[in-house]
Each structure stands twice: as structure tokens, then as C-alpha cells.
Amino acid sequence: MINSENIPNGFFSSALKSGIKNNDYDLAIIKSEPSSVVSALYTQNKFQAAPIIFSKKNDKNKIDLLMVNSGVANSLTGKKGYDNVLNIADFASKFFKCKKENILTASTGIIGVHLDIEKIKNAIKKSSLNKGFDNIVKAIQTRDKFDKVYSTKLNIGDKIANFYAIAKGTSIIHPNMATVLLFIFTDLNIEKEALNKAFRVSIDKTLNRISIDGETSTNDTAIIMANGLADNKIITEKDKKSFKLLKNKLDEICANLSKMIVLDGEGITKTIIVSVKRAKTQKDAFEIAKSVAISNLIKILFISLSPNYEKILSTVGNTNINIKNLSLSVNGINIYKNGELNNNKSDINRLRESFNKERKEHSIILD
């Protein structure tokens, strides 16, 4: 959902064709005026890319500039890869008149390839920052088939805060983030500690709960920048009403972008939403849902249009979670309850019909 009225104030950007991806947009530059407080999360893969190592040193500071390139991941590139990030950041700091410590970077693309820093520097020289985010989403993409953009607003007291969010990702998608870049820009006025907590909770409930191929990457980055120009009373955790409104808004943004990522997954013909209700703990619920979501047995079940739903129970039974009084429904049809499979012919026929080729979205609910 994109609404031009929801563009946050104080952000200026440039989408550039540096030549890394031939004649496609491959460099996004976003400047915040005034500086933004930020919250940033990164892949938990042990081999973190050079731009992440650089950004982790700066994300406690207020941020003036975010630079994102696509086409080359600058991952597994050793000291030279990190030195290239420093070189580009130093050049950009002088060009855009900010400190290197107030810059964040992110990259996506081919692993093990060094950035062509001269191409990026030349593109920076030609850049012209404009209000808004024209083509920024295209500059962060690799194999995405459609743009992943979401804009919205939040009423805080008598003020309105605007949000503009973009993401990329089609493969190597799995909890703990994946080959995902996600950026949210807002003019909300918020304390950094409150932003950190709200953002982490939302990412945990959204980006960290999608899976396509069970793999995670070296470059995954999620960042939110808030520059305060909405001029609302600053949000803190103590302001429970406003803090809850923010958490709900971030859940909305991240959930919508996460679903877009899954729908754009490479080789995807169907999506399955797995819900677990009334587990003893959130951790148990997540472990059960994850075991179902990543099961090749269950993926084959839906791809082959075969309603052998007892295989779902087999997968759940392999978890280390103590399960009692389980009921299971697929596509809204209850098929297991009180220890017995549902053998009602009418229900079974409805389930079989729900597995048709045209249906793209399916649901599994474990209660």
C-alpha cells in the first residue's frame, strides 16, 4: 500500500545506476534532516558481511545517511571488503557533509565479490537528493519480481506521524531473518530505547517467522529511522498508550512486508500460514509452527494436492514439545480432535476440493 500523503518529512533520497548491475538501479542513498534515532537488526549468520560490521559500530549514534547497494553483497571479502566500506563511507561523509560515524550501510547481491568503489563514488558525485523515495525500492532489489513497499500513518495525540517502508527478498528466507533488507522511515518523535524494544518485538513476530527454503544469509539487515519531525510528544515505554499504538503500527508494517516477501519467494506456487494456539509458552508455539513450516513432507503434501493430513500430525509429533488435547484444522476444516481423525466424508471432500491448483494460500491451525 502506497499513499503519497504518508511520505515522512525530513527524508531526501537518490536512486542511482552506478553500473554494478549494468543499467539497473543499484545504489540507494537516503539522508535524514534532522538526524534520526535508529534501531537496527542483522542476520545471525556467523559470517556477517562487511557493511553489517561497519553499521554495527554506528547504529548507537544518531544517523544522517543510509547507503544501500545491490548486485554485490560485499560478503566473505575479508579486510579489503571492510576497507572498501570505510572508503565509500569516508567519501560520502565529505560529499554529504556528515560524519562517518553517522552513516549506515547495507548490501545485497553476489557473495564473495568486491565492490567497485570507483563506480559507487562516481554515482555519489552525480547524485541529487530529492524529497521522497522515488525508485529507492528498485535500487535495493536483486531477483525481486515486484516492489515491496508499504506506507501508512499514525495519529499520536494531535499530531500525525508518517511511515514509509521498503523491503527486498525472494530466497534464502528463514527465521532469524534471511536474504532480506527492510527499511522503515518515519518522522515520529521517539526515544531510542523505546524504538529498539518495539522494533525488535515486531521483527521477531514477522520477519523472524517466515521461511521459504530454510536458509539464512550473510547480509540480512532491518533498520528503522525516526527523525522526530512529526513533533509529537516524545514516545517512551512509560507512555503505555502511545507505545502500544507504535508497536501495533510496526506489527502492521512488518507483517505486510513479510507476507510480500513470502509471496515473491523463488519457486513459490503456494503459501501456508501456520498458526499455533494455546501453547504453554510462546517458545513452544514457535517451535511447533516452525517444524511444520519447514517440513518438506508438508510442502510436498500441498504441492501434490494430496490431502493426507495425517502427515501433518506426524510432523508435529516429532517435536520435543509436550502436546495434549490437540485439534488440527486445514483450510478451515477440522480434521483431528479428541485423539481421532475426522472421517466425515463431507468434510474430507471439502478438504480435497480446497487443495485445488487455483488456491494459492492455505492455512494450518494447531490448537
Side-chain angles (χ1 to χ4, degrees):
M1 182 177 70
I2 309 172
N3 187 331
S4 59
E5 295 180 359
N6 295 337
I7 300 298
N9 294 305
F11 288 97
F12 304 85
S13 72
S14 184
L16 302 158
K17 299 177 181 180
S18 74
I20 295 175
K21 292 196 311 188
N22 296 320
N23 198 36
D24 289 336
Y25 289 105
D26 55 24
L27 180 62
I29 300 172
I30 300 95
K31 196 167 194 299
S32 177
E33 297 179 4
S35 304
S36 286
V37 295
V38 303
S39 182
L41 294 168
Y42 311 99
T43 180
Q44 294 181 32
N45 191 291
K46 299 299 186 295
F47 298 100
Q48 293 186 332
I52 289 180
I53 296 170
F54 173 83
S55 291
K56 287 171 77 171
K57 294 181 178 180
N58 289 351
D59 62 20
K60 294 178 179 60
N61 306 326
K62 284 200 168 184
I63 297 301
D64 295 316
L65 199 70
L66 169 66
M67 294 190 296
V68 186
N69 77 273
S70 58
V72 172
N74 194 13
S75 175
L76 304 181
T77 49
K79 184 178 184 300
K80 181 181 176 182
Y82 184 72
D83 288 343
N84 285 340
V85 176
L86 291 178
N87 194 323
I88 292 166
D90 186 60
F91 182 85
S93 70
K94 293 171 183 174
F95 187 86
F96 293 109
K97 297 178 173 58
C98 62
K99 294 181 179 179
K100 189 166 56 179
E101 293 74 22
N102 303 116
I103 295 175
L104 297 181
T105 60
S107 300
T108 184
I110 302 171
I111 290 175
V113 176
H114 289 284
L115 284 172
D116 188 326
I117 61 175
E118 293 308 316
K119 284 184 177 180
I120 293 180
K121 286 181 181 180
N122 287 334
I124 290 173
K125 289 177 186 176
K126 299 173 184 175
S127 65
S128 176
L129 297 176
N130 301 298
K131 184 172 170 41
F133 302 93
D134 290 348
N135 293 313
I136 287 298
V137 69
K138 296 189 182 304
I140 72 169
Q141 294 173 353
T142 48
R143 296 188 294 271
D144 299 64
K145 294 187 286 292
F146 62 84
D147 296 345
K148 300 169 183 69
V149 182
Y150 192 84
S151 66
T152 184
K153 63 183 178 181
L154 177 65
N155 293 313
I156 295 288
D158 60 348
K159 304 294 183 180
I160 297 176
N162 299 290
F163 294 78
Y164 187 88
I166 60 174
K168 65 81 57 178
T170 62
S171 64
I172 316 185
I173 308 294
H174 191 57
N176 293 338
M177 303 207 308
T179 307
V180 168
L181 297 181
L182 182 145
F183 306 107
I184 303 173
F185 309 98
T186 178
D187 47 20
L188 185 74
N189 186 23
I190 182 168
E191 184 182 71
K192 183 176 179 65
E193 289 74 16
L195 185 64
N196 277 336
K197 183 169 184 179
F199 191 52
R200 278 163 170 72
V201 170
S202 285
I203 292 296
D204 192 46
K205 291 193 291 186
T206 54
L207 277 189
N208 281 343
R209 294 192 182 182
I210 60 176
S211 181
I212 291 175
D213 45 28
E215 299 292 340
T216 60
S217 180
T218 55
N219 287 66
D220 318 315
T221 303
I223 293 171
I224 182 169
M225 301 176 64
N227 65 21
L229 280 184
D231 201 31
N232 56 284
K233 180 183 176 182
I234 190 166
I235 295 176
T236 66
E237 286 187 63
K238 292 180 180 179
D239 183 359
K240 293 184 178 180
K241 181 179 179 181
S242 294
F243 187 61
K244 184 178 180 179
L245 288 173
L246 170 65
K247 287 198 296 183
N248 291 341
K249 181 58 64 176
L250 291 182
D251 288 351
E252 170 195 328
I253 294 167
C254 295
N256 275 280
L257 289 173
S258 295
K259 188 170 183 180
M260 291 181 204
I261 289 168
V262 172
L263 292 172
D264 198 21
E266 288 188 352
I268 289 292
T269 58
K270 298 180 182 299
T271 60
I272 306 170
I273 298 175
V274 184
S275 303
V276 177
K277 298 181 177 181
R278 292 191 284 190
K280 187 174 181 180
T281 65
Q282 278 283 324
K283 183 180 178 182
D284 285 357
F286 178 71
E287 289 302 319
I288 294 168
K290 180 181 172 183
S291 70
V292 173
I294 68 174
S295 168
N296 286 330
L297 180 68
I298 290 174
K299 291 177 183 178
I300 291 168
L301 178 72
F302 282 86
I303 292 169
S304 64
L305 309 179
S306 174
N308 296 321
Y309 48 81
E310 64 274 10
K311 293 180 179 179
I312 299 173
L313 295 168
S314 176
T315 298
V316 174
N318 280 326
T319 65
N320 292 321
I321 310 301
N322 187 25
I323 298 170
K324 295 180 180 179
N325 303 320
L326 175 70
S327 68
L328 166 68
S329 64
V330 176
N331 294 340
I333 302 161
N334 190 287
I335 56 177
Y336 178 84
K337 193 173 184 179
N338 297 326
E340 294 185 8
L341 292 170
N342 182 356
N343 292 313
N344 182 282
K345 289 184 178 179
S346 175
D347 288 345
I348 292 170
N349 287 334
R350 285 170 54 218
L351 179 63
R352 185 174 287 110
E353 291 169 2
S354 78
F355 271 64
N356 63 68
K357 291 182 179 179
E358 286 70 33
R359 183 165 184 157
K360 302 299 183 186
E361 188 171 293
H362 298 264
S363 68
I364 297 173
I365 299 176
L366 295 147
D367 188 345

